[in-house]
Amino acid sequence: MRRSWLLLPFFLTPLAQAMQALDDEGLAEVNGQSGISIEHATSGWTAGSINYNSDGTTLSAKTLSLKPQAGTGTDSATLDVVGQQLQVEYSAAPRELNVSNLEFAGSTKSFGAFRAFFTLGASLRLKGLGASGVSGIALDGSRLSISDATFFYRDNGLDLIVKGVSFDTYLNNAYLDIVSGGTGSEVKLSLGSSRFVGAVGGISVDLAHSELSPVTPGSLDTRHPDASRSFGRVNMDLRLGGSLSIAGGGSTGQGLTIKPDVSFSNSLFQYQDEGVLRAENFAGTLRSTSGITVDLEQDGIGSYARLAFADLNLNATLGGLVMGNPTNQKLGSLALDLNFINDGSKQNWLKLRPGGDPSSGLKGLTADVSWNMANSSLSVTDNGNSMWFSGLKTNGTGQFTLDVTKGCSDGFATGCYAGSVSTNPASSNYDGHFNGIRLGMKNVQGSYSFDGLRVGSASSPLQGGTELLVLMEIFPAYDFIMNGQITLMPGGSSGDGLRYNADFMVTNGKAAITVDEAGKGLWLSGTTYEMHFRDGSLDVTNNGVELKKGTYWSKLDVSDVRWGNKDTGTSLGRLVLKRYEQGSTLALSSGGSGALCVGASGASSSACTANGGRWEDRGNEGVSVKLKAILAKDGSIEGTSNGVVTDEKRNQLIYETDRTLDGNGKPINGSGSQIVVDNVYTSDGNPVDPNANTYGVNADLSLDVAPTKVKIKSGPNAGTQVSPDPLGFAVNGRVHFKEINIDRLQNVHPTGGAVTAMYGIKLQNADVRANLTATPIN
Amino acid sequence: MTSKVCGVLLVALALNAQAELQALNDADLSAQSGQGGVYLSGEFSINKEGGVLWNTPASVTQTGWAANERSCHAPGSTATEACGMRLAVRSEAAGGWYVLDNLKGTFSFEGLTLRTRLINSGFGGDGALFNQDVIELGLPNEVKYKNGSFAFAVANQGGWRNNKAGAAAADTTYQQTNIFSAKLDGTIRMQGNVLIFPKN
């Protein structure tokens, strides 16, 4: 008996009780009366466990309670009938929900514990007969709200806290209906022209393990120095349409099928740190024809919840994008058309398992993921000119884990993990934890590619130009196996935002520098790429998005630089690039190049033309990217091999050719001839302070979609101008640095060892600009 | 090392380029318009408006320059001039430095193309034998040079220093001798394609 009560959604409980007590005919007779007022005093309830069983697998919420936040609470509801409509005004006393563990029966692992503090309110307008005219309930004019909500998720004694949450849902022209579908019938919520207004005041973590008494939103545990930091605030105001259907039956047997066919229009989404990321006019659809199925299943590893969708389309236009200061220039708009679709063995599903990374205790979340996205695109519109990254496809499989973790270096040792292979966070093989929310990746084997750019319209000819993004390590195509982790900590370099520590290892990578639609190009094949980030941060400031890389070191080892096919093309040899940077940054801001002079100098159209140049105005929208790499000097040599320094933290480039082959025909690294560019570092070139190194190598890129002059390249009209000026992908790049030093250039023979060819190279005072517009070949 | 060099095949930089271009089958090339290749137009410049290390001083009098000032004017000139990029290389452990100094200029063009291409025909029958992918840089017909300059020099230090006693951050031991310097302005015709491919 008690369980059947508890299975009802907590906020509907008192309403359902009230509705049972009234019948519609009786209500109709009291039309015009002042209605009924109900007050319900409650001290809440507790339950040992609540189980959900599907196809023999049981998901269990342990030690569950829902109680008023203060002793006894009083809920009130008034019911009235006005114009053949039942009107219910409901306000609840603030509640606290507790779940001590969410787990699968028979498993020692769990998803963790949950606590939520919230206040519910509802203003319902219910009317019989659905708008479909068959059955159901019209909900027009109803409102549901959650206010003053705080959500705690606890993983091995460490908390993730979502604060200041409020949601209001206004249901206009909405109705709830039972229609045929699924394994028989399904519940369909037609959203009409509903509105969803939501806010999240902050997301933080509490890493001080084992508080003496349970914390509440009003008295949080503030012992850990990072307790007050937050990832930032989110606001949204969504205008919703379409429908959402829920049917019984999963992909097999019992379970659930959810079919979204939701549209949103004229909506607003905003993330706020010091500056904002805002889409002022956000519209689109989220649709799955076959539905998202939810099943509980078991395999050799244990029980899991499986979410799967054979098709899912997300189409969104983020109009009026603002990055940084809302009064600044805008970015233009961004549109996504993402099509997830099953294709043979390439499928879309998630298997959610209890327990996170094996090094992170018994609680947390593990997800085995498989995805396949085909024929998708991303487009950017800048001053009314659009460009499509066309034919975007990606697929892969892998395991992701999510945990709240803690390192052992900040004095709060309980619940920390120092590592087993290495306990030094500054080393490459450190396997301990960092503070924060840890996303682990294990054998994530995937690939992505896009066919190319289309400029002007979605049916324009495909063209290259994505090569110009390689500087930002955005490759036109990439196959990879990835392992590693990224741990995010609330609070940026100042105020809100995030800080991060990460280690990634990409193996069997094949990255294209340039590639055509047939997959032919210049490929970095057989790549291993090891990357380590320490004390990085990401902030949205009034100047845009700023990523500080902190201390960064990496080793990119390309077994073969291939021409043509990524596997069989002729190889140029092996490339190894080691990087060691301290204080490097990447900043994104809105506004592209603006107006500029191509081919000469001049600050105005007339001055530019007078100097023999061409004046191009690329409008006030677009994106600007600033990369600043501060290459650190390796001050001492820790190890050498065959005369070449092997330190992991050093800027070094090795080019090797003529390697001998092993029994499998695979080249043996180190067996060939090498050229080594050793110990590259930047300097401010300041004679007064020779060790100053703050300027770095800077690459400033402005990206626009803009018209340019194009001549016909070949054929009978070769040499004549294309008219009107075609649109292109315009990249205005500037590389500047004060001083780059290279300690030595070595030639290395596999047996003879290293010989120094140059005892120093120094580059000073550089300001190199490339102002290029990419258009299709005519 | 010598047996494994990157082969660069310059197809026709001269007037007889036309004959070779026919062999590349222009009709096919234009029919492939809009394939994965890219047509680039614009400019490439080095220190078009000076560099970032040295500001241009107000006067040519070297003793008055601040620590971050340098002028690269011609000898005898009374007007200061912004400096170009400087590249210095030391070929001996304790030796002097070769210097390519004051390197600057603007190069503008329309129609530099870049694409991958399989050559398996043409070239008087050599193409079929070659049968390999190449990166094709289609040269623009004209490249305009503006305010180009460089100087070749030798120096006893890699970094430039102000050696006039009394100047800010002066190093009077610094010596640099310019062997020659050059200025470039005008138009260069560059026709045909550059094909780049690995060679075993």
Side-chain angles (χ1 to χ4, degrees):
Chain A
M1 173 58 206
R2 194 159 180 80
R3 283 200 183 162
S4 66
W5 269 95
L6 303 181
L7 281 169
L8 291 167
F10 39 85
F11 75 93
L12 275 177
T13 306
L15 293 175
Q17 185 185 25
M19 287 176 70
Q20 293 298 326
L22 295 165
D23 68 31
D24 276 357
E25 286 176 23
L27 259 173
E29 285 169 17
V30 295
N31 184 15
Q33 303 292 315
S34 56
I36 300 165
S37 191
I38 298 170
E39 288 209 345
H40 173 64
T42 175
S43 55
W45 49 263
T46 59
S49 71
I50 288 183
N51 298 330
Y52 169 71
N53 189 297
S54 171
D55 294 324
T57 302
T58 303
L59 180 66
S60 196
K62 296 287 187 190
T63 329
L64 193 97
S65 68
L66 179 64
K67 293 179 173 176
Q69 287 175 22
T72 305
T74 303
D75 302 340
S76 64
T78 60
L79 292 90
D80 201 358
V81 177
V82 178
Q84 297 185 325
Q85 198 177 46
L86 172 64
Q87 299 191 348
V88 182
E89 299 295 332
Y90 171 68
S91 74
R95 290 285 203 283
E96 177 187 348
L97 173 75
N98 261 290
V99 180
S100 74
N101 234 358
L102 186 64
E103 62 190 39
F104 281 107
S107 172
T108 54
K109 294 179 176 176
S110 92
F111 290 108
F114 302 86
R115 290 170 79 208
F117 295 77
F118 55 89
T119 304
L120 290 168
S123 173
L124 297 180
R125 304 282 183 269
L126 307 174
K127 195 174 171 184
L129 296 180
S132 64
V134 183
S135 59
I137 305 163
L139 301 166
D140 186 30
S142 297
R143 180 179 65 82
L144 301 169
S145 67
I146 295 177
S147 56
D148 301 324
T150 303
F151 179 80
F152 293 81
Y153 166 67
R154 173 161 291 194
D155 176 11
N156 298 311
L158 308 172
D159 288 330
L160 169 69
I161 308 167
V162 185
K163 295 180 277 202
V165 181
S166 66
F167 292 119
D168 283 294
T169 307
Y170 302 89
L171 298 165
N172 302 318
N173 297 320
Y175 63 92
L176 200 60
D177 211 347
I178 310 287
V179 297
S180 58
T183 52
S185 52
E186 59 189 26
V187 179
K188 181 176 181 182
L189 173 65
S190 289
L191 291 162
S193 54
S194 297
R195 185 174 171 203
F196 178 83
V197 181
V200 176
I203 301 173
S204 59
V205 293
D206 171 13
L207 300 178
H209 196 275
S210 326
E211 63 263 14
L212 297 173
S213 58
V215 296
T216 63
S219 64
L220 294 169
D221 190 340
T222 56
R223 288 174 295 162
H224 194 277
D226 283 313
S228 62
R229 306 296 300 275
S230 161
F231 283 120
R233 287 162 286 162
V234 172
N235 288 81
M236 65 190 93
D237 184 349
L238 309 178
R239 312 276 171 155
L240 300 170
S243 68
L244 193 65
S245 306
I246 300 175
S251 62
T252 54
Q254 298 172 326
L256 274 180
T257 300
I258 302 164
K259 278 188 204 165
D261 182 5
V262 178
S263 64
F264 30 100
S265 58
N266 197 22
S267 299
L268 179 133
F269 180 87
Q270 175 170 294
Y271 165 80
Q272 194 164 1
D273 180 2
E274 184 203 356
V276 299
L277 276 182
R278 182 197 291 170
E280 289 179 340
N281 185 0
F282 170 36
T285 54
L286 177 69
R287 184 173 292 140
S288 173
T289 315
S290 55
I292 301 165
T293 56
V294 184
D295 292 272
L296 299 187
E297 295 177 355
Q298 295 176 24
D299 60 10
I301 304 165
S303 302
Y304 58 88
R306 182 176 185 271
L307 265 73
F309 42 92
D311 72 286
L312 184 73
N313 169 257
L314 172 67
N315 187 312
T317 307
L318 303 159
L321 273 183
V322 175
M323 194 167 15
N325 187 338
T327 59
N328 273 4
Q329 290 170 316
K330 290 176 179 174
L331 194 76
S333 73
L334 192 68
L336 304 167
D337 182 16
L338 308 181
N339 288 299
F340 291 91
I341 190 148
N342 285 0
D343 178 13
S345 61
K346 296 176 190 168
Q347 300 204 327
N348 292 293
W349 46 255
L350 286 136
K351 291 177 181 173
L352 302 176
R353 299 175 188 274
D357 188 85
S359 62
S360 166
L362 295 172
K363 295 179 167 58
L365 176 68
T366 297
D368 296 339
V369 177
S370 168
W371 75 93
N372 183 50
M373 191 172 85
N375 193 26
S376 299
S377 68
L378 178 74
S379 75
V380 181
T381 303
D382 161 14
N383 290 100
N385 301 323
S386 295
M387 176 176 75
W388 279 258
F389 290 88
S390 189
L392 179 61
K393 42 188 176 284
T394 169
N395 70 81
T397 57
Q399 190 175 71
F400 294 84
T401 56
L402 194 64
D403 291 283
V404 184
T405 59
K406 219 174 101 42
C408 296
S409 57
D410 63 0
F412 289 81
T414 315
C416 76
Y417 178 60
S420 59
V421 179
S422 166
T423 57
N424 176 12
S427 78
S428 294
N429 54 0
Y430 174 67
D431 64 334
H433 288 161
F434 295 98
N435 285 354
I437 300 163
R438 181 184 190 276
L439 176 71
M441 279 155 270
K442 195 173 167 189
N443 287 328
V444 177
Q445 187 165 356
S447 72
Y448 76 77
S449 65
F450 38 94
D451 290 348
L453 298 180
R454 295 184 196 270
V455 176
S457 84
S459 56
S460 294
L462 273 176
Q463 66 168 81
T466 51
E467 296 84 0
L468 301 173
L469 298 176
V470 168
L471 197 59
M472 290 188 284
E473 294 189 22
I474 299 173
F475 300 108
Y478 200 2
D479 298 349
F480 54 86
I481 299 174
M482 188 142 145
N483 281 278
Q485 61 84 24
I486 179 165
T487 306
L488 306 176
M489 189 65 188
S493 68
S494 69
D496 289 348
L498 65 87
R499 286 162 290 163
Y500 66 96
N501 287 285
D503 299 277
F504 299 115
M505 180 75 177
V506 175
T507 47
N508 281 7
K510 289 166 197 158
I513 300 293
T514 172
V515 65
D516 67 10
E517 69 287 356
K520 287 189 173 177
L522 177 58
W523 288 89
L524 306 179
S525 283
T527 299
T528 59
Y529 196 2
E530 187 185 329
M531 288 166 271
H532 306 277
F533 299 83
R534 296 291 180 269
D535 305 317
S537 66
L538 182 68
D539 286 275
V540 178
T541 69
N542 280 327
N543 298 321
V545 176
E546 190 176 35
L547 177 82
K548 292 186 176 172
K549 281 165 91 177
T551 299
Y552 164 75
W553 71 101
S554 67
K555 182 182 177 186
L556 172 71
D557 192 331
V558 182
S559 177
D560 290 290
V561 178
R562 289 192 193 279
W563 257 238
N565 184 284
K566 62 186 173 186
D567 296 312
T568 57
T570 319
S571 169
L572 184 71
R574 173 189 178 220
L575 268 184
V576 180
L577 177 66
K578 276 193 211 169
R579 285 194 288 171
Y580 174 38
E581 299 173 16
Q582 278 181 320
S584 295
T585 58
L586 185 155
L588 289 176
S589 58
S590 358
S593 307
L596 44 83
C597 184
V598 180
S601 296
S604 68
S605 173
S606 53
C608 177
T609 313
N611 287 334
R614 187 174 73 243
W615 187 251
E616 288 191 357
D617 188 351
R618 296 177 183 170
N620 62 350
E621 296 184 344
V623 192
S624 295
V625 183
K626 279 182 185 290
L627 290 154
K628 171 164 143 175
I630 297 180
L631 309 180
K633 183 177 183 176
D634 184 14
S636 63
I637 295 172
E638 282 117 44
T640 60
S641 167
N642 206 17
V644 179
V645 179
T646 54
D647 296 4
E648 61 182 19
K649 289 180 190 167
R650 191 175 179 93
N651 291 296
Q652 192 181 53
L653 176 73
I654 300 173
Y655 173 50
E656 181 175 5
T657 61
D658 211 10
R659 288 167 292 173
T660 54
L661 304 178
D662 67 10
N664 299 319
K666 202 173 165 233
I668 302 165
N669 290 341
S671 64
S673 302
Q674 300 180 349
I675 290 181
V676 180
V677 181
D678 190 38
N679 209 15
V680 184
Y681 58 94
T682 51
S683 160
D684 290 354
N686 182 353
V688 182
D689 183 5
N691 292 323
N693 189 5
T694 55
Y695 195 86
V697 181
N698 294 265
D700 304 343
L701 300 172
S702 298
L703 311 179
D704 287 283
V705 185
T708 191
K709 299 278 178 210
V710 170
K711 275 184 183 156
I712 294 173
K713 188 75 180 165
S714 58
N717 297 321
T720 57
Q721 292 281 354
V722 177
S723 180
D725 290 349
L727 282 174
F729 175 37
V731 178
N732 185 16
R734 179 179 171 218
V735 175
H736 52 109
F737 55 85
K738 289 187 169 178
E739 185 174 301
I740 293 179
N741 294 283
I742 300 168
D743 266 2
R744 68 185 68 83
L745 182 83
Q746 295 170 297
N747 290 321
V748 187
H749 187 270
T751 51
V755 176
T756 302
M758 293 183 191
Y759 288 84
I761 299 172
K762 197 183 270 282
L763 280 147
Q764 288 184 309
N765 196 43
D767 187 350
V768 178
R769 301 178 194 201
N771 189 348
L772 302 174
T773 305
T775 51
I777 298 175
N778 276 282
Chain B
M1 225 8 245
T2 49
S3 66
K4 297 261 178 173
V5 291
C6 173
V8 177
L9 177 59
L10 288 170
V11 180
L13 278 171
L15 286 174
N16 63 359
Q18 291 306 317
E20 293 292 340
L21 276 164
Q22 294 304 321
L24 295 185
N25 200 345
D26 272 0
D28 282 357
L29 209 157
S30 60
Q32 286 177 7
S33 166
Q35 303 288 316
V38 62
Y39 177 105
L40 297 169
S41 57
E43 67 167 24
F44 178 80
S45 69
I46 300 172
N47 290 32
K48 180 178 172 179
E49 284 155 22
V52 292
L53 178 57
W54 299 305
N55 294 334
T56 311
S59 148
V60 294
T61 311
Q62 202 172 336
T63 46
W65 295 353
N68 63 343
E69 285 183 335
R70 183 187 175 196
S71 168
C72 293
H73 54 276
S77 169
T78 54
T80 58
E81 187 184 319
C83 287
M85 190 164 81
R86 176 188 169 94
L87 167 69
V89 172
R90 191 184 214 186
S91 59
E92 279 184 66
W97 297 70
Y98 291 107
V99 179
L100 194 58
D101 208 352
N102 196 26
L103 181 65
K104 62 183 175 185
T106 302
F107 318 100
S108 57
F109 50 84
E110 288 173 23
L112 178 72
T113 60
L114 172 69
R115 63 175 190 142
T116 326
R117 184 177 150 206
L118 173 66
I119 293 186
N120 56 5
S121 65
F123 295 93
D126 290 346
L129 293 171
F130 180 74
N131 192 22
Q132 192 177 330
D133 286 296
V134 298
I135 291 209
E136 178 197 272
L137 280 173
L139 296 172
N141 286 330
E142 281 186 352
V143 176
K144 286 182 190 160
Y145 283 69
K146 205 164 177 61
N147 298 327
S149 78
F150 68 89
F152 181 69
V154 287
N156 68 343
Q157 287 184 38
W160 178 84
R161 297 295 299 270
N162 190 333
N163 59 3
K164 286 281 184 274
D171 181 351
T172 53
T173 65
Y174 177 72
Q175 294 171 22
Q176 176 168 333
T177 308
N178 284 10
I179 312 286
F180 68 89
S181 55
K183 281 194 181 291
L184 284 167
D185 265 300
T187 303
I188 292 184
R189 290 184 74 76
M190 297 174 83
Q191 292 179 316
N193 298 310
V194 177
L195 307 176
I196 306 172
F197 53 91
K199 178 76 184 144
N200 285 302

